[in-house]
Amino acid sequence: MPLGESNDRNGARPVKIRQAGAVPGSVPQRSPPSAIGGPFNSSRGARGRGRKATGQRTTKAKDNPNINIMHWNAEGVTNKKTELEQFLHQNSINICCIQETHLQKEKPFKIRGYQTFRSDRQGRKKGGVLTLVRNNMNASETKRYMDEAEYIEVKSGFLIAGDFNSQSQSWGYNILDKRGEDIETWQDENHLILVNDPTDPPTFYSRRWHTTKPDLALCTDDIHKNLSRKVLDQLGGSDHRPVLLTITRCTTPEPPQHARWNHKKAQWGLFRIRTNELTKDIKVEGLNINNVVKDFNASIIKAAKEIIPRGVRKDYTPYWTAELQRAHDDLTKAREEAETNPS
């Protein structure tokens, strides 16, 4: 079920993503595209609804040389937006696949620096999926699958990741249930490799079972060779921890970084006066327009350098305080204690 294609400008193989969600029902009986020339996929499982997007990387100064893909069962994303936004930027996430968004059509949801592709569960307060793609990747929705799965794709290799709500010894349980058996059969039929290791930390804290590992990732061999998986810390109060999948890729040298303009501290009145002084004597008549524009732009830049400060505090978050940091650390510590010594 191809969603679209893209070619990475930095030498990486194209990839296709599908994201799977935690809902009742068996694994979709639709096979993924073949491993050869197939997709890199992020998907949501049975009864989910979804959108698809393709991505094309472009090199920018802040780009990480790898592709970072995060998948997460948010258990409601609206009240976790601020923490999610900070998390995405701090961890240089390129593509984020979220399940259980609990969004409705009339509720807008945007994250600064990311394109939003979402599919809400109609007629229910829960459910829904959301895919966020960095603005420096060309992305578009090519098809929406409304029955059992939603996913985004970027061509070649195949990766499926999300909350599968299933049990198997292969990913750290003591038993194999029906859904886990279906997933293992589907995995074998499509020659996919399980990214999870049975010894990986649990991703979901169940008040009944204390810890479980329903969040999985499977991929083709060409992707698996360059893929790593890491279970991250608590995010936004969700019972599910986010999972980071990193694809190592070829990269071109990054251009030098330049200090950003600090517009909040600019003295705009002085800037207006200075730009008028520098541009008022620029001659236009009888001159090549390209040279005129060049002189005008140089004057604007000169005025900006004189009036507008440059540089910002690294990793500065306006709302974050020492008290919030302590509360966040206490929450993380409490969760680790609950998982290590359940009672």
Side-chain angles (χ1 to χ4, degrees), residues 8-9 14-15 32 43 48 83 113 140 142 176 209 217 263 311 326:
D8 194 300
R9 297 180 183 174
V15 287
S43 82
E83 291 171 275
S140 62
T142 59
L176 174 67
W209 304 110
H263 296 105
R326 286 193 295 271

Side-chain angles (χ1 to χ4, degrees), residues 88-123:
L88 293 174
H89 289 288
Q90 285 184 343
N91 292 278
S92 302
I93 302 298
N94 303 99
I95 301 170
C96 178
C97 306
I98 303 176
Q99 305 91 50
E100 297 295 337
T101 57
H102 300 182
L103 294 173
Q104 297 299 313
K105 184 177 181 181
E106 66 276 5
K107 293 182 180 180
F109 187 88
K110 299 288 184 182
I111 293 290
R112 178 175 55 86
Y114 288 81
Q115 305 163 72
T116 302
F117 301 89
R118 57 184 272 193
S119 182
D120 306 326
R121 188 74 66 85
Q122 300 301 317

Side-chain angles (χ1 to χ4, degrees), residues 152-164:
I152 63 169
E153 297 183 353
V154 189
K155 186 183 175 183
S156 186
F158 183 94
L159 169 67
I160 178 167
D163 181 354
F164 284 77

